[in-house]
Coordinates of all heavy atoms in Angstrom, one line a residue:
E1 N 11.9 -5.7 6.4 CA 12.4 -6.3 5.2 C 11.3 -6.8 4.3 O 11.2 -6.5 3.1 CB 13.4 -7.4 5.6 CG 13.5 -8.5 4.6 CD 14.4 -9.6 5.1 OE1 15.1 -9.4 6.1 OE2 14.3 -10.7 4.5
H2 N 10.3 -7.5 4.9 CA 9.2 -8.0 4.1 C 8.3 -6.9 3.5 O 7.9 -7.0 2.3 CB 8.3 -9.0 4.9 CG 9.1 -10.1 5.5 ND1 9.7 -11.1 4.7 CD2 9.4 -10.4 6.7 CE1 10.3 -11.9 5.4 NE2 10.2 -11.6 6.7
G3 N 8.1 -5.9 4.2 CA 7.4 -4.7 3.7 C 8.0 -4.1 2.6 O 7.3 -3.6 1.6
V4 N 9.3 -4.0 2.6 CA 10.1 -3.4 1.5 C 9.9 -4.2 0.2 O 9.6 -3.7 -0.9 CB 11.6 -3.2 1.8 CG1 12.4 -2.7 0.6 CG2 11.7 -2.3 3.0
S5 N 10.1 -5.5 0.3 CA 9.9 -6.4 -0.8 C 8.5 -6.4 -1.4 O 8.3 -6.3 -2.6 CB 10.2 -7.9 -0.4 OG 11.5 -8.0 0.0
L6 N 7.5 -6.4 -0.5 CA 6.1 -6.3 -0.9 C 5.8 -5.0 -1.6 O 5.2 -4.9 -2.7 CB 5.2 -6.5 0.3 CG 3.7 -6.5 0.1 CD1 3.4 -7.6 -0.9 CD2 3.0 -6.7 1.4
R7 N 6.3 -3.9 -1.0 CA 6.1 -2.6 -1.6 C 6.7 -2.5 -3.0 O 6.1 -2.0 -3.9 CB 6.8 -1.5 -0.7 CG 6.7 -0.1 -1.3 CD 7.7 0.8 -0.7 NE 9.1 0.4 -1.1 CZ 10.2 0.7 -0.5 NH1 10.1 1.5 0.6 NH2 11.3 0.3 -0.9
N8 N 7.9 -3.0 -3.1 CA 8.6 -2.9 -4.4 C 7.9 -3.7 -5.5 O 7.7 -3.3 -6.6 CB 10.0 -3.4 -4.3 CG 10.9 -2.4 -3.5 OD1 10.5 -1.3 -3.2 ND2 12.0 -2.8 -3.0
K9 N 7.4 -4.9 -5.1 CA 6.8 -5.8 -6.1 C 5.4 -5.2 -6.5 O 5.0 -5.2 -7.7 CB 6.6 -7.2 -5.6 CG 7.9 -7.9 -5.5 CD 7.8 -9.4 -5.3 CE 7.4 -10.2 -6.5 NZ 8.2 -10.1 -7.7
L10 N 4.7 -4.6 -5.6 CA 3.4 -4.0 -5.9 C 3.6 -2.8 -6.8 O 2.8 -2.7 -7.8 CB 2.7 -3.6 -4.6 CG 2.1 -4.7 -3.8 CD1 1.6 -4.1 -2.4 CD2 0.9 -5.3 -4.5
L11 N 4.6 -2.1 -6.6 CA 4.9 -0.9 -7.5 C 5.4 -1.4 -8.9 O 4.8 -0.9 -9.9 CB 5.9 0.0 -6.9 CG 6.2 1.3 -7.7 CD1 4.9 2.1 -7.9 CD2 7.2 2.1 -6.9
E12 N 6.4 -2.2 -8.9 CA 7.0 -2.6 -10.2 C 6.1 -3.4 -11.0 O 6.0 -3.3 -12.3 CB 8.3 -3.4 -9.9 CG 9.4 -2.6 -9.2 CD 10.5 -3.4 -8.7 OE1 10.5 -4.7 -8.9 OE2 11.4 -2.8 -8.1
E13 N 5.3 -4.4 -10.4 CA 4.5 -5.3 -11.2 C 3.1 -4.8 -11.4 O 2.4 -5.3 -12.4 CB 4.6 -6.7 -10.6 CG 6.0 -7.3 -10.6 CD 6.0 -8.6 -10.0 OE1 5.0 -9.3 -9.8 OE2 7.2 -9.1 -9.7
Y14 N 2.5 -4.0 -10.5 CA 1.1 -3.7 -10.6 C 0.9 -2.2 -10.6 O -0.3 -1.7 -10.7 CB 0.4 -4.3 -9.4 CG 0.4 -5.8 -9.5 CD1 1.4 -6.5 -8.8 CD2 -0.5 -6.5 -10.2 CE1 1.5 -7.9 -8.8 CE2 -0.4 -7.9 -10.3 CZ 0.6 -8.6 -9.6 OH 0.7 -9.9 -9.6
G15 N 1.9 -1.4 -10.5 CA 1.7 0.1 -10.5 C 1.0 0.6 -9.2 O 0.4 1.7 -9.3
I16 N 1.1 -0.2 -8.1 CA 0.4 0.2 -6.9 C 1.4 0.8 -5.9 O 2.4 0.2 -5.6 CB -0.3 -1.0 -6.3 CG1 -1.4 -1.5 -7.2 CG2 -0.9 -0.7 -4.9 CD1 -2.0 -2.8 -6.8
L17 N 1.1 2.0 -5.5 CA 2.0 2.7 -4.6 C 1.5 2.5 -3.1 O 0.4 2.8 -2.8 CB 2.1 4.2 -4.9 CG 3.0 5.1 -4.1 CD1 4.4 4.6 -4.2 CD2 2.9 6.5 -4.5
T18 N 2.4 1.9 -2.3 CA 2.1 1.8 -0.9 C 3.3 2.4 -0.1 O 4.3 2.7 -0.7 CB 2.0 0.3 -0.5 OG1 3.2 -0.4 -0.8 CG2 0.8 -0.4 -1.2
R19 N 3.1 2.6 1.2 CA 4.1 3.2 2.0 C 4.6 2.2 3.0 O 3.8 1.7 3.8 CB 3.6 4.4 2.7 CG 4.7 5.2 3.4 CD 4.2 6.5 4.0 NE 5.3 7.3 4.5 CZ 5.9 7.0 5.6 NH1 5.7 6.0 6.3 NH2 6.9 7.9 6.0
E20 N 5.9 1.9 3.0 CA 6.5 1.0 3.9 C 6.8 1.8 5.2 O 7.3 2.9 5.1 CB 7.7 0.3 3.3 CG 8.6 -0.5 4.2 CD 9.7 0.4 4.7 OE1 10.3 1.1 4.0 OE2 10.0 0.2 5.9
C21 N 6.5 1.3 6.3 CA 6.6 2.1 7.6 C 7.8 1.9 8.4 O 7.8 2.1 9.6 CB 5.3 1.7 8.4 SG 3.8 2.2 7.6
G22 N 8.9 1.5 7.8 CA 10.2 1.2 8.6 C 10.7 2.5 9.2 O 11.5 2.4 10.2
N23 N 10.4 3.7 8.8 CA 11.0 4.9 9.3 C 10.0 5.5 10.3 O 10.3 6.6 10.8 CB 11.4 5.9 8.3 CG 10.2 6.4 7.5 OD1 9.1 5.8 7.5 ND2 10.4 7.4 6.7
K24 N 8.9 4.9 10.7 CA 8.0 5.4 11.7 C 8.4 4.9 13.1 O 8.7 3.7 13.3 CB 6.6 4.9 11.4 CG 6.0 5.5 10.2 CD 5.6 6.9 10.4 CE 4.5 7.4 9.6 NZ 4.2 8.7 9.8
I25 N 8.4 5.8 14.0 CA 8.7 5.4 15.4 C 7.7 4.4 15.9 O 6.5 4.6 15.8 CB 8.7 6.7 16.3 CG1 9.8 7.7 15.9 CG2 8.8 6.3 17.8 CD1 9.8 9.0 16.6
G26 N 8.2 3.3 16.5 CA 7.4 2.3 17.0 C 6.9 1.3 15.9 O 6.0 0.4 16.2
S27 N 7.3 1.4 14.7 CA 6.9 0.5 13.6 C 8.1 -0.2 13.1 O 9.2 0.0 13.5 CB 6.2 1.3 12.5 OG 5.5 0.4 11.6
S28 N 7.9 -1.0 12.0 CA 9.0 -1.6 11.4 C 8.7 -1.8 9.9 O 7.6 -1.5 9.4 CB 9.3 -3.0 12.0 OG 8.3 -3.9 11.7
S29 N 9.7 -2.3 9.2 CA 9.5 -2.5 7.7 C 8.6 -3.6 7.3 O 8.3 -3.8 6.2 CB 10.9 -2.8 7.1 OG 11.8 -1.7 7.2
Q30 N 8.1 -4.3 8.3 CA 7.2 -5.4 8.0 C 5.7 -4.9 7.8 O 4.8 -5.6 7.4 CB 7.2 -6.5 9.0 CG 6.5 -6.1 10.3 CD 6.6 -7.2 11.4 OE1 7.6 -7.7 11.6 NE2 5.5 -7.5 12.0
Y31 N 5.5 -3.6 8.0 CA 4.2 -3.0 7.9 C 4.1 -2.0 6.7 O 5.1 -1.4 6.3 CB 3.8 -2.2 9.1 CG 3.7 -3.0 10.3 CD1 4.8 -3.1 11.3 CD2 2.6 -3.8 10.6 CE1 4.7 -3.9 12.4 CE2 2.5 -4.6 11.7 CZ 3.6 -4.6 12.6 OH 3.5 -5.4 13.7
L32 N 3.0 -2.0 6.0 CA 2.7 -1.1 4.9 C 1.5 -0.3 5.3 O 0.6 -0.7 6.0 CB 2.3 -1.9 3.6 CG 3.4 -2.7 3.0 CD1 2.8 -3.4 1.8 CD2 4.6 -1.8 2.6
R33 N 1.4 0.9 4.7 CA 0.3 1.8 4.8 C -0.4 1.9 3.5 O 0.3 2.2 2.5 CB 0.7 3.2 5.4 CG -0.5 4.0 5.7 CD 0.0 5.3 6.3 NE 0.3 6.3 5.3 CZ 0.7 7.5 5.5 NH1 1.0 7.9 6.7 NH2 1.0 8.3 4.5
V34 N -1.7 1.8 3.4 CA -2.4 2.0 2.2 C -3.6 2.9 2.4 O -4.0 3.1 3.6 CB -3.0 0.6 1.6 CG1 -1.8 -0.3 1.3 CG2 -3.9 0.0 2.6
A35 N -4.0 3.6 1.4 CA -5.1 4.5 1.5 C -6.4 3.8 0.9 O -6.3 3.0 -0.1 CB -4.8 5.8 0.7
S36 N -7.5 4.1 1.4 CA -8.8 3.6 0.9 C -9.1 4.4 -0.4 O -9.1 5.6 -0.4 CB -9.9 3.8 2.0 OG -11.1 3.3 1.5
R37 N -9.4 3.6 -1.4 CA -9.7 4.2 -2.7 C -11.1 3.7 -3.2 O -11.7 2.9 -2.5 CB -8.6 3.8 -3.7 CG -7.2 4.1 -3.3 CD -6.9 5.6 -3.3 NE -7.1 6.0 -4.7 CZ -6.9 7.2 -5.1 NH1 -6.5 8.2 -4.3 NH2 -7.1 7.6 -6.4
P38 N -11.5 4.0 -4.4 CA -12.7 3.5 -4.9 C -12.7 2.0 -4.9 O -11.6 1.4 -5.0 CB -12.8 4.1 -6.3 CG -12.0 5.3 -6.3 CD -10.9 5.0 -5.3
E39 N -13.9 1.4 -4.9 CA -14.0 -0.1 -4.8 C -13.2 -0.8 -5.9 O -12.5 -1.8 -5.6 CB -15.4 -0.5 -4.9 CG -15.6 -2.0 -4.7 CD -17.0 -2.4 -4.6 OE1 -17.9 -1.6 -4.7 OE2 -17.3 -3.6 -4.4
S40 N -13.2 -0.3 -7.1 CA -12.5 -1.0 -8.2 C -11.0 -1.0 -7.9 O -10.3 -2.0 -8.2 CB -12.8 -0.3 -9.6 OG -12.3 1.1 -9.5
E41 N -10.4 0.1 -7.4 CA -9.0 0.1 -7.0 C -8.7 -0.8 -5.8 O -7.6 -1.4 -5.7 CB -8.6 1.5 -6.8 CG -8.6 2.4 -8.0 CD -8.0 3.8 -7.8 OE1 -7.2 4.0 -6.9 OE2 -8.5 4.7 -8.5
Q42 N -9.7 -0.9 -4.9 CA -9.5 -1.8 -3.8 C -9.4 -3.2 -4.2 O -8.6 -4.0 -3.8 CB -10.6 -1.6 -2.8 CG -10.6 -0.3 -2.0 CD -11.8 -0.2 -1.1 OE1 -12.3 -1.1 -0.5 NE2 -12.3 1.0 -1.0
I43 N -10.3 -3.6 -5.2 CA -10.3 -5.0 -5.7 C -9.0 -5.3 -6.4 O -8.4 -6.3 -6.2 CB -11.5 -5.2 -6.6 CG1 -12.8 -5.2 -5.8 CG2 -11.4 -6.5 -7.4 CD1 -14.0 -5.1 -6.6
H44 N -8.5 -4.3 -7.2 CA -7.2 -4.4 -7.9 C -6.1 -4.6 -6.9 O -5.2 -5.5 -7.1 CB -7.0 -3.2 -8.8 CG -5.6 -3.2 -9.5 ND1 -5.2 -4.1 -10.4 CD2 -4.5 -2.4 -9.3 CE1 -4.0 -3.8 -10.8 NE2 -3.6 -2.8 -10.1
F45 N -6.1 -3.8 -5.9 CA -5.1 -3.9 -4.8 C -5.1 -5.3 -4.1 O -4.1 -6.0 -3.9 CB -5.2 -2.8 -3.8 CG -4.3 -3.0 -2.6 CD1 -3.0 -2.8 -2.6 CD2 -4.9 -3.4 -1.3 CE1 -2.2 -3.0 -1.5 CE2 -4.1 -3.5 -0.2 CZ -2.7 -3.4 -0.3
M46 N -6.3 -5.7 -3.7 CA -6.4 -7.0 -3.0 C -6.0 -8.2 -3.9 O -5.3 -9.1 -3.4 CB -7.8 -7.2 -2.5 CG -8.2 -6.2 -1.5 SD -7.2 -6.2 0.0 CE -7.6 -7.8 0.7
N47 N -6.3 -8.2 -5.2 CA -5.9 -9.2 -6.1 C -4.4 -9.2 -6.3 O -3.7 -10.3 -6.2 CB -6.6 -9.1 -7.4 CG -8.0 -9.4 -7.4 OD1 -8.5 -10.2 -6.6 ND2 -8.8 -8.9 -8.3
A48 N -3.8 -8.0 -6.4 CA -2.3 -7.9 -6.6 C -1.6 -8.4 -5.3 O -0.6 -9.1 -5.3 CB -1.9 -6.5 -6.9
L49 N -2.1 -7.9 -4.1 CA -1.6 -8.3 -2.8 C -1.6 -9.8 -2.7 O -0.6 -10.4 -2.3 CB -2.3 -7.6 -1.7 CG -1.9 -7.9 -0.3 CD1 -0.4 -7.3 -0.1 CD2 -2.8 -7.2 0.7
D50 N -2.7 -10.4 -3.0 CA -2.8 -11.9 -2.9 C -1.8 -12.6 -3.8 O -1.1 -13.5 -3.3 CB -4.2 -12.3 -3.3 CG -4.5 -13.8 -3.0 OD1 -4.1 -14.3 -2.0 OD2 -5.1 -14.4 -3.9
Q51 N -1.6 -12.1 -5.0 CA -0.6 -12.8 -5.9 C 0.8 -12.6 -5.4 O 1.6 -13.5 -5.5 CB -0.8 -12.2 -7.3 CG -2.1 -12.7 -8.0 CD -2.3 -12.1 -9.3 OE1 -1.4 -11.6 -9.9 NE2 -3.5 -12.1 -9.8
V52 N 1.1 -11.4 -5.0 CA 2.5 -11.1 -4.6 C 2.8 -11.8 -3.3 O 3.9 -12.4 -3.1 CB 2.7 -9.6 -4.4 CG1 4.1 -9.3 -3.7 CG2 2.6 -8.8 -5.7
L53 N 1.9 -11.9 -2.3 CA 2.1 -12.7 -1.1 C 2.3 -14.1 -1.4 O 3.2 -14.8 -0.8 CB 1.0 -12.4 -0.1 CG 0.9 -11.1 0.5 CD1 -0.3 -11.0 1.4 CD2 2.2 -10.8 1.4
D54 N 1.5 -14.7 -2.3 CA 1.7 -16.1 -2.7 C 3.1 -16.3 -3.3 O 3.8 -17.3 -3.0 CB 0.6 -16.5 -3.7 CG -0.7 -16.8 -3.1 OD1 -0.7 -17.0 -1.8 OD2 -1.7 -16.9 -3.8
E55 N 3.5 -15.4 -4.2 CA 4.8 -15.5 -4.8 C 6.0 -15.4 -3.8 O 6.9 -16.2 -3.9 CB 5.0 -14.4 -5.9 CG 6.3 -14.4 -6.6 CD 6.4 -13.3 -7.6 OE1 5.4 -12.9 -8.2 OE2 7.5 -12.9 -7.8
L56 N 5.9 -14.5 -2.9 CA 6.9 -14.3 -1.9 C 6.9 -15.5 -1.0 O 8.0 -16.0 -0.6 CB 6.7 -13.0 -1.1 CG 6.9 -11.7 -1.9 CD1 6.5 -10.5 -1.0 CD2 8.4 -11.6 -2.3
Q57 N 5.8 -16.1 -0.6 CA 5.7 -17.2 0.2 C 6.3 -18.4 -0.5 O 7.1 -19.2 0.1 CB 4.3 -17.5 0.7 CG 4.1 -18.7 1.6 CD 4.8 -18.4 3.0 OE1 4.9 -17.3 3.4 NE2 5.3 -19.4 3.6
N58 N 6.0 -18.6 -1.8 CA 6.6 -19.7 -2.5 C 8.1 -19.6 -2.7 O 8.8 -20.6 -2.6 CB 5.9 -19.8 -3.9 CG 4.5 -20.3 -3.9 OD1 4.1 -21.0 -2.9 ND2 3.7 -20.0 -4.9
R59 N 8.6 -18.4 -2.9 CA 10.0 -18.2 -3.0 C 10.7 -18.5 -1.6 O 11.7 -19.2 -1.6 CB 10.3 -16.7 -3.3 CG 11.8 -16.5 -3.5 CD 12.1 -15.0 -3.8 NE 11.5 -14.7 -5.1 CZ 11.1 -13.4 -5.4 NH1 11.3 -12.4 -4.5 NH2 10.5 -13.2 -6.5
K60 N 10.1 -18.1 -0.5 CA 10.7 -18.4 0.8 C 10.7 -20.0 1.0 O 11.7 -20.5 1.5 CB 9.8 -17.8 1.9 CG 10.3 -18.0 3.3 CD 9.5 -17.3 4.3 CE 9.9 -17.6 5.7 NZ 9.0 -16.9 6.7
F61 N 9.6 -20.6 0.6 CA 9.5 -22.1 0.8 C 10.6 -22.8 0.0 O 11.3 -23.7 0.4 CB 8.1 -22.6 0.3 CG 8.0 -24.1 0.3 CD1 7.9 -24.8 1.5 CD2 8.0 -24.8 -0.9 CE1 7.8 -26.2 1.5 CE2 7.9 -26.1 -0.9 CZ 7.8 -26.8 0.3
L62 N 10.8 -22.3 -1.3 CA 11.8 -22.9 -2.1 C 13.2 -22.7 -1.6 O 14.1 -23.6 -1.6 CB 11.7 -22.4 -3.6 CG 10.5 -22.8 -4.3 CD1 10.4 -22.1 -5.7 CD2 10.4 -24.4 -4.5
Q63 N 13.5 -21.5 -1.1 CA 14.8 -21.2 -0.5 C 15.0 -22.1 0.7 O 16.2 -22.6 0.9 CB 14.9 -19.7 -0.1 CG 15.0 -18.8 -1.3 CD 14.9 -17.3 -0.8 OE1 14.5 -17.0 0.3 NE2 15.3 -16.5 -1.8
Q64 N 14.0 -22.4 1.5 CA 14.2 -23.3 2.7 C 14.5 -24.7 2.3 O 15.2 -25.4 2.9 CB 13.0 -23.2 3.6 CG 12.8 -21.9 4.3 CD 11.5 -21.8 5.1 OE1 10.6 -22.6 4.9 NE2 11.4 -20.8 6.0
R65 N 13.9 -25.1 1.2 CA 14.1 -26.5 0.7 C 15.5 -26.7 0.2 O 16.1 -27.7 0.3 CB 13.1 -26.9 -0.4 CG 11.7 -27.1 0.2 CD 10.8 -27.6 -0.9 NE 11.2 -29.0 -1.1 CZ 10.6 -29.7 -2.1 NH1 9.7 -29.2 -2.9 NH2 10.9 -31.0 -2.3
V66 N 16.1 -25.6 -0.4 CA 17.4 -25.7 -1.0 C 18.5 -25.7 0.1 O 19.5 -26.3 0.0 CB 17.6 -24.5 -2.0 CG1 19.1 -24.5 -2.5 CG2 16.7 -24.7 -3.2
A67 N 18.2 -24.9 1.2 CA 19.2 -24.7 2.2 C 19.4 -26.0 3.1 O 18.9 -27.0 3.0 CB 18.7 -23.6 3.2

């Protein structure tokens, strides 16, 4: 589930395509697969990943406070 949310946000907000591994034997949707690219694209990916993870963590925190 988390991998799907992360994958969707990276694509929709940053144009970054990753592969969620929920359909792989022995894996689950919490994992993503990424390819190594030129350094500039790696930096873009890491910055986007950091922002999306922070946003998803903050959303989870807020949902827990409301519940």
Side-chain angles (χ1 to χ4, degrees):
E1 153 188 343
H2 301 295
V4 174
S5 298
L6 182 57
R7 177 202 64 200
N8 291 345
K9 289 192 80 53
L10 286 171
L11 181 59
E12 293 168 2
E13 296 180 15
Y14 298 92
I16 297 173
L17 182 61
T18 59
R19 186 174 189 289
E20 171 265 317
C21 298
N23 64 345
K24 290 288 206 181
I25 295 173
S27 191
S28 73
S29 295
Q30 73 184 48
Y31 297 102
L32 292 179
R33 187 175 87 182
V34 297
S36 181
R37 304 290 299 181
E39 185 175 359
S40 62
E41 291 182 27
Q42 291 177 34
I43 292 168
H44 174 66
F45 170 71
M46 294 302 291
N47 289 334
L49 181 62
D50 188 43
Q51 290 178 18
V52 172
L53 289 174
D54 281 346
E55 182 181 326
L56 291 174
Q57 184 65 31
N58 288 336
R59 182 181 301 153
K60 181 179 176 183
F61 175 74
L62 292 174
Q63 288 173 344
Q64 289 175 345
R65 288 188 72 185
V66 172

